[in-house]
Amino acid sequence: MTRRRSSSSSSSSSTALRVTADAIGPGTSVRYHYRGGNSLATVVDRTDRYVTFVGAECDGTFTHDQIDRLIDDDRLQIVLDDETHVPLEEERLQHGSSDRLR
């Protein structure tokens, strides 16, 4: 998250917060708005360059710059909840569960 000083003509000094890719890590819930609709997803991986999220109806891997643009365009929003939105089958594959679907 970065701070940005508002450029208003009033004498008060207000500071607005801007969410960036830096605020998104594994376990973060997001709502991704795409051409055909929107869906909840959970961030499953973050590297120095990429953020990956998976949901029941969407998934994606984006660079940090792309994530910042999606946030700025209001196409990606952080959702404050404590649920995972990764489909059960995908979660089993990621965690190497012994009871994988065969």
Side-chain angles (χ1 to χ4, degrees), residues 2-72:
T2 59
R3 292 186 182 268
R4 178 171 54 189
R5 193 167 290 271
S6 176
S7 59
S8 65
S9 59
S10 69
S11 61
S12 68
S13 61
S14 64
T15 301
L17 294 178
R18 178 180 172 266
V19 176
T20 65
D22 294 332
I24 299 175
T28 303
S29 293
V30 295
R31 178 170 299 279
Y32 177 54
H33 296 267
Y34 47 91
R35 189 170 300 191
N38 66 79
S39 183
L40 288 171
T42 300
V43 175
V44 295
D45 190 35
R46 177 190 169 86
T47 66
D48 291 340
R49 184 175 167 109
Y50 297 102
V51 173
T52 300
F53 56 83
V54 176
E57 299 175 21
C58 70
D59 57 24
T61 298
F62 297 95
T63 67
H64 292 208
D65 288 341
Q66 289 173 316
I67 292 289
D68 288 341
R69 284 194 302 273
L70 288 170
I71 291 170
D72 288 345

